Amino acid sequence: MSLQLSFSDLIKRAADLNLEEYEKFISSVNKLRAKKRHSNVSEEESALLTKINKGFPNEKWQQIQKLDNKMEASGLSKSEHAELTSLTEEYEEYTVYRLRLLKKLALLRGISLEEVMQQLGLQYGKV
């Protein structure tokens, strides 16, 4: 026998759960949502998401941070400054490229850039 609950009944029952049960419930709902969302993703959307999630190479990001910290602490040599400038420009190009991909995804989904960033858990300034 299948139990049918209305949306409001489901919310009421969720509110009655203890914290541990509630966390398990939320986790299960999120997994179901991800599975449904994944099954509805077109090939084009999937390709965009793969590119968006690729990320800037970690080694390059660590080198930017290392050089930036050294610049603040003691200064950089000309070659180090040139390297930092080059890596920073590369990161900026990556950020613009990723923002363009996000805009394409937003158009594909028929929503705003802000909404797609919210859906993906991204914040402005942290593209």
Side-chain angles (χ1 to χ4, degrees):
M1 181 169 94
S2 170
L3 177 64
Q4 294 290 328
L5 294 176
S6 70
F7 180 77
S8 61
D9 288 338
L10 185 59
I11 296 299
K12 287 176 189 172
R13 291 214 177 172
D16 290 338
L17 297 173
N18 67 41
L19 185 58
E20 184 179 337
E21 291 171 326
Y22 180 77
E23 292 295 331
K24 286 180 184 178
F25 174 74
I26 293 299
S27 176
S28 297
V29 168
N30 285 335
K31 286 177 186 176
L32 286 171
R33 186 177 107 198
K35 192 181 282 188
K36 284 185 176 190
R37 185 174 276 165
H38 181 70
S39 67
N40 292 331
V41 175
S42 70
E43 286 183 35
E44 184 178 3
E45 193 171 343
S46 179
L48 283 171
L49 287 168
T50 298
K51 291 176 186 177
I52 289 167
N53 290 325
K54 185 175 181 192
F56 190 71
N58 195 42
E59 316 80 49
K60 291 182 179 185
W61 180 248
Q62 288 176 347
Q63 185 65 7
I64 288 172
Q65 291 176 320
K66 176 183 163 190
L67 291 170
D68 191 47
N69 289 337
K70 184 176 180 185
M71 180 177 64
E72 288 183 20
S74 62
L76 298 175
S77 68
K78 280 189 174 186
S79 64
E80 289 171 325
H81 189 271
E83 181 184 9
L84 179 58
T85 300
S86 176
L87 286 168
T88 301
E89 288 173 357
E90 194 174 331
Y91 180 72
E92 287 173 354
E93 289 172 9
Y94 158 78
T95 301
V96 169
Y97 169 73
R98 192 167 184 221
L99 190 55
R100 286 185 178 134
L101 293 172
L102 288 164
K103 287 169 82 174
K104 284 183 182 180
L105 182 60
L107 285 171
L108 188 62
R109 291 182 175 181
I111 58 177
S112 70
L113 176 60
E114 293 82 7
E115 288 173 304
V116 84
M117 290 179 72
Q118 184 179 18
Q119 288 176 353
L120 298 177
L122 302 174
Q123 300 172 353
Y124 286 118
K126 296 183 181 182
V127 177

